[in-house]
Every structure is written in C-alpha cells, then in structure tokens.
Amino acid sequence: MHPAYSVIFFTTASGAGYGLLVWLAMASALGGFPPDWALGLIGLGLALALVTGGLLSSTAHLGRPERAWRAFSQWRSSWLSREGVLAVATYIPAAILGISWVFYEKFDGPVIIASLLVSVLALTTVYATGMIYASLPTIRAWNQPLTVAVYLTLAMATGGILFVFVLSFFAPLPTWAIALPLVAIIGAYFTKRFYWEAIDEAPRTLRPENATGLGHIGKVHHLEPPHAQANYVMREMGFKVARNHADKLRRLSAYLMFLVPIVCLLLLLMVSTFTAPLFALVAVLAMGIGVVIERWLFFAEAEHVVMLYYGADAA
Amino acid sequence: MTTLPKSTKKKLGLVIDLDICVGCQACATSCKEWNTGGYSAPLSDTDPYGADPHGAWLNRIHGFEVGDGESGQTVHFPRSCLHCETPACVTVCPTGASYKREEDGIVLVNPDTCIGCKLCSWACPYGAREYDENHGVMKKCTLCVDRIYNQHLAEEDRVPACVRACPTGARHFGDIGDPNSAVSKLVADRGGYDLMPEMGYKPVNKYLPPRARRDGSANNFQPAVEAPDPPGKDLATSFFAWADKMLSQ
C-alpha cells in the first residue's frame, strides 16, 4: 500500500496526542500531582495541538477537503466516520477538564467525570483508527487481531513519553511517572513484535488462480496488462518495499521506538531534576521518528489482494 | 446512507463470457467514451499526451495465460465493478456518497458528496474503484444507469455501453436475481461463477469459464486445405513439380 505522508503524520501525532490526554486525565483524576495551571496549560495544550494538527493533516490526503464535514454522518457503518465523530466528541470533556484545571486550578470532584470521559473517548478514537485498517479483509497484514492493539499500545507509549517530558519541567519526577510509561513502552514493544511475527507467519492463501477463478484449467499467469502506464490501482495498492529494506527499517524503528526511550527512562531514575527534560526530549524525538518509520512500514509492507490481477504471485 | 439494503428488488449485473472475449478493448473504450459524458462525468486523464498518461477508467481488460504447454490458452479477462450484494466499499464510506440502490442493486458513488478519501478503493478486492485526480472523487462502473432506463434511447441501446459495443457478444446484461432471466439461464447452462467468493462480498456479476479445449495431444487436427499430391511417381509429374518450383522462386 502506498504510504501517504499526511496519514502517517496524522496517526503518529494524533495517537501521541490522545495518549498524552489519557495520561494527563488519569493522573489528574487519581490526584497524581497538584493542579498546577501551567502544567494543565502546557500538557493539555500540547496534547490538543497534536490531535488537532493530526486531524487537519489527515484532510490533506482528501480529494475534496472542503467536504470533510460530511464524514461525520455515516457512523452506523463506517469506522472512518466513527473515528471522526469520536475525535470531535473528545474535545468536549477535554475542554471542561482544561478550563477547570487552567483557570480554576481544580480537577477533583465532578471534574473527575470529565477526566474519565476524556480517557475513554481518546482511547476509543484510537481504537476506531485501528479498526479502519483492521476491518479490511482485502489487506492481510492489516486484517489481524493485533492491528488495533498496536495502535492502542503505541498511543499509550508515545503519550507516556510526552507525559514524562512535560512533567519533567515542573517537579522532580515521581517514580510512578517514570515506571508506568516504562511499562507502556514495554507493552507496546511486545505487541508490535507479536504483530510482526503474526504478519510474517500469516499464510498468503490467495493466488491469481483464485482471483480469476481459472485455477481448474491450470496455472494462471498475467500475460498482458490492460494499460501501458501504471493506473491509480497500481500506484495506490501496488506500492511495495524490498524485503531486506523492510527488515532493516523494522530494526531501526524498534531501536528508536523502544530501546532509546527505555534507556532514557531508566537514566531518568538516576539523573538530577535539571537534566531530566533533556533525557526526556531525547526519548520523545527518538520515539517520534521511530513511530513515523513504523507507520511507513505498516503501509509499505501491506499487500493488497487486487494486485493478483496485476501479476502478484500471492496475497 | 452507507448501510446496505437488506435485499434489492433486482440484481442487475453483467455476465462475461471468457470463452469468446477476444480482448479487443472495445468495451473499455466505449465505456470511457460514454461515461466521460455521463453520470459521473468527467472521467479525466492525467498527462494524456505526455510521458506518463494515466486516468480513470471503469473497465480494464487483462490478458492471462492459463495452463501450460499444448493445453495452455490465453484468456482475455475484463474486470469492472461486480455490484456485490455485500460490498465493503459502501459500508466503509464515511460520507454516504457510496451507496447500493435498493431498487436494482447498482452500486454508485455520488460525485457531489464524495470527499475522495479513497478508503473504498482499499476495501474493494477487485480494483473496481479508481480515483479521479482532477475531479478529486472516486469513479466506478455505474452499470450505465444513465442508459439502461433512458427513454430517449432506442430500446436496443438501453444496455450498458460495454455490452452494446462488444463485437463478439461476450457481455450480457440483465437481472441475475431473476432465475428466469436470459442471463440467469446462461449462468446456469455454462457454470457461471463468482470472482473470489472467499472474500465474502457476494458479487452479482458472473463470469462464464472458457469451454474445454480439444485435446491437443491426440493428433486430431483437420488441415484447412488438402495437402498437394506427393511429388513424382512418373517423370512428367516430377518435371512439372520441378518447373513449378523454379517458376515460383
């Protein structure tokens, strides 16, 4: 599948933004830190900026961005529409939490309900993002049980590292604020690893014989393409990355997404408060680049069944 | 609404005979010609006279080589929207631009509300949906919805443009949901089949398989013309054969 940069940026940025929202909302609901207005402003501001930037960039790949509002209408059947509705719905409790935290320095009492709603809606939005891909039977690498889990755990991991980064400016980091994001990153590592193993092992059961229905006659081989130049279907669905490149990129993204942030978090347990933001920043940048590579691979490694009509040997 | 109708009154679709399609592309060009001025006009091309011409077409004709050796054959394989009974291209659409008609089962895209997100093309296993770069919306076979009910056309023209254009009669149009229709009988007689039923989309269009070929291993070919008499029993015959050969050079 062709990796569209607007979609890669969207899922990376909004995934991290929703993850950060969950961390801030849950930590505030559980009274993890005092309701400092500046922390609320910077933390929630960063989360909502990432979410909003991601959503706006996702409209860049539309042929008709001015009609994007129509995408809120088909939530009964479409995961893309559900994602849009949930994304917008998340702003409402997030605004209540934000106003209460920043202007009144208060996030206990009834505001906890808003915090819980933020967490549930943010996670459901990421779930819907994952389901857009996981629900397509035409793409074997996406139509996997772990696809959604990867989106969810990576959102919590990227959000978690941002949470550490924001928090490191305000107070000496409490141990839980390092340990829990660490757990999230390790969880994301295992989920992604099992996902990669699953797509490598999933059998490529469909062949040109299935696509044409002519297997009863004999081996089917694409002889004559319908057109001389690549058409939309081939450009969009036929993008493929070389196997050895994919292996190298998988390793690189795993180092950046998991290894570097884990080392940084472990160092954060030891370093002084003044240098903490620096270590957190290194972790944030490494993970950001790592997830962008991971998202690119998510598309580039995915084979679409339609390519069986264009000479692919299996899908 | 992108939720699917529970059932459709008709199942209009195409039956494509792979036995007699000659791959002439007449259906594809006729489709392009009609539809660039039809329901979802234009069907635009990008860089049409340049180095990389490509554009939106609703019908593509592939050539496959099937089988090996003497039993091998070339099968011309037209590929277009199959107007599936449970098409995921419709249910994934976030705007409702994509829909399946309750009255005849035709799957259409409303070009005025499509946002060009391309998700429907990801959901289609058959590559039936193409993105129009200049129009910014998705294009697909309309089963010539603007021909088949068009009272301004002569009766014989009220069929999809591809069916009308086919010089060998390899394309048939009708109600595949009606067991007594001509197309349904054709499907029953010839063992018409669905493409990739394992996908679960329940295509309406059917393909008729190539008929079994004569066994190439048995030497049963009849020559088109009689072979000339073997040369030279007598001198005169040999002489005339020699003369004929020399004069023919």
Side-chain angles (χ1 to χ4, degrees):
Chain A
M1 298 293 294
H2 170 72
Y5 294 114
S6 57
V7 176
I8 291 172
F9 177 75
F10 158 58
T11 59
T12 306
S14 71
Y18 285 119
L20 180 56
L21 271 184
V22 174
W23 284 100
L24 289 167
M26 287 311 294
S28 68
L30 295 168
F33 37 66
D36 181 346
W37 69 270
L39 175 60
L41 182 69
I42 293 173
L44 292 175
L46 177 63
L48 292 175
L50 284 168
V51 165
T52 310
L55 288 172
L56 288 177
S57 109
S58 76
T59 63
H61 89 287
L62 300 180
R64 293 279 178 164
E66 76 280 10
R67 298 175 181 169
W69 59 273
R70 291 184 182 277
F72 298 119
S73 64
Q74 303 303 309
W75 47 270
R76 287 181 195 81
S77 74
S78 166
W79 280 107
L80 180 52
S81 185
R82 284 171 200 161
E83 181 198 41
V85 171
L86 289 162
V88 171
T90 311
Y91 281 101
I92 298 162
I96 294 170
L97 173 63
I99 290 165
S100 174
W101 188 342
V102 174
F103 294 103
Y104 302 98
E105 293 209 312
K106 201 172 146 46
F107 52 42
D108 53 355
V111 185
I112 289 178
I113 298 170
S115 297
L116 293 177
L117 264 177
V118 168
S119 306
V120 170
L121 285 170
L123 287 175
T124 322
T125 307
V126 177
Y127 178 83
T129 305
M131 280 307 290
I132 293 171
Y133 304 107
S135 66
L136 296 173
T138 46
I139 301 163
R140 184 180 45 86
W142 294 356
N143 194 219
Q144 298 283 337
L146 282 175
T147 300
V148 175
V150 167
Y151 274 85
L152 283 169
T153 53
L154 275 177
M156 288 308 290
T158 47
I161 212 77
L162 283 172
F163 177 70
V164 173
F165 176 60
V166 171
L167 218 55
S168 69
F169 285 96
F170 287 88
L173 282 166
T175 310
W176 65 264
I178 296 172
L180 291 179
L182 195 62
V183 170
I185 294 169
I186 293 169
Y189 164 71
F190 280 109
T191 314
K192 189 68 203 184
R193 204 183 132 170
F194 293 145
Y195 168 83
W196 274 330
E197 284 172 9
I199 62 167
D200 288 344
E201 284 164 14
R204 300 162 91 218
T205 50
L206 292 169
R207 308 209 172 258
E209 288 78 11
N210 302 89
T212 57
L214 297 170
H216 63 280
I217 301 174
K219 182 124 188 65
V220 175
H221 160 73
H222 197 218
L223 180 70
E224 207 177 15
H227 34 83
Q229 299 302 120
N231 68 342
Y232 163 75
V233 169
M234 294 173 75
R235 286 164 208 253
E236 181 79 2
M237 261 68 82
F239 187 95
K240 219 175 166 186
V241 60
R243 182 69 245 185
N244 62 335
H245 289 191
D247 286 341
K248 282 179 199 145
L249 286 169
R250 276 187 190 187
R251 272 199 295 280
L252 178 63
S253 75
Y255 291 147
L256 290 170
M257 278 193 294
F258 306 122
L259 189 64
V260 175
I262 286 171
V263 170
C264 286
L265 284 179
L266 291 174
L267 289 172
L268 274 174
L269 286 168
M270 294 171 243
V271 297
S272 69
T273 311
F274 295 109
T275 49
L278 190 68
F279 284 94
L281 182 66
V282 171
V284 165
L285 293 177
M287 190 173 246
I289 297 165
V291 173
V292 166
I293 298 171
E294 182 265 347
R295 291 291 139 88
W296 186 89
L297 272 177
F298 180 71
F299 280 86
E301 286 196 287
E303 293 174 320
H304 195 288
V305 68
V306 73
M307 293 312 288
L308 292 175
Y309 293 106
Y310 282 101
D313 62 332
Chain B
M1 192 56 71
T2 54
T3 41
L4 298 170
K6 284 202 176 62
S7 64
T8 54
K9 293 194 184 81
K10 288 182 175 179
K11 293 179 189 171
L12 293 187
L14 300 173
V15 174
I16 294 167
D17 191 343
L18 297 179
D19 191 60
I20 54 176
C21 174
V22 293
C24 70
Q25 310 276 340
C27 55
T29 46
S30 170
C31 165
K32 178 88 169 175
E33 190 275 336
W34 175 266
N35 283 294
T36 202
Y39 168 87
S40 190
L43 274 187
S44 57
D45 293 319
T46 302
D47 197 18
Y49 302 103
D52 185 22
H54 57 282
W57 291 62
L58 311 182
N59 188 14
R60 304 282 194 177
I61 293 77
H62 298 252
F64 288 99
E65 198 172 53
V66 184
D68 289 318
E70 287 192 49
S71 63
Q73 55 185 290
T74 304
V75 176
H76 301 287
F77 190 93
R79 181 177 58 80
S80 59
C81 174
L82 308 173
H83 297 279
C84 301
E85 288 181 52
T86 53
C89 62
V90 170
T91 51
V92 299
C93 174
T95 68
S98 213
Y99 62 105
K100 184 167 176 71
R101 289 170 30 130
E102 199 269 330
E103 62 266 43
D104 51 18
I106 298 178
V107 176
L108 287 178
V109 177
N110 181 345
D112 296 327
T113 56
C114 173
I115 59 174
C117 73
K118 313 178 188 86
L119 185 55
C120 56
S121 69
W122 296 4
C124 177
Y126 308 108
R129 288 169 172 252
E130 298 201 8
Y131 177 65
D132 188 323
E133 283 177 27
N134 302 309
H135 200 182
V137 299
M138 300 304 296
K139 299 290 169 72
K140 70 176 292 303
C141 163
T142 67
L143 214 56
C144 284
V145 69
D146 41 11
R147 281 178 74 102
I148 58 177
Y149 299 114
N150 194 335
Q151 301 293 317
H152 298 289
L153 297 178
E155 182 84 41
E156 64 269 29
D157 286 329
R158 289 180 214 159
V159 292
C162 58
V163 174
R164 191 79 180 99
C166 182
T168 64
R171 302 177 73 93
H172 306 266
F173 165 71
D175 182 4
I176 292 159
D178 172 8
N180 296 315
S181 67
V183 280
S184 292
K185 286 177 182 161
L186 198 56
V187 169
D189 287 349
R190 294 277 308 282
Y193 64 94
D194 290 347
L195 296 186
M196 282 195 281
E198 50 272 76
M199 278 283 138
Y201 287 43
K202 294 194 201 158
V204 167
N205 283 13
K206 301 283 182 268
Y207 283 76
L208 306 180
R211 289 181 175 89
R213 291 293 184 263
R214 284 170 299 196
D215 183 3
S217 59
N219 191 12
N220 60 357
F221 286 110
Q222 296 296 314
V225 289
E226 289 293 314
D229 288 332
K233 285 260 164 64
D234 57 52
L235 198 65
T237 318
S238 303
F239 171 77
F240 286 119
W242 174 80
D244 185 47
K245 198 175 157 195
M246 295 313 287
L247 292 169
S248 302
Q249 280 178 350

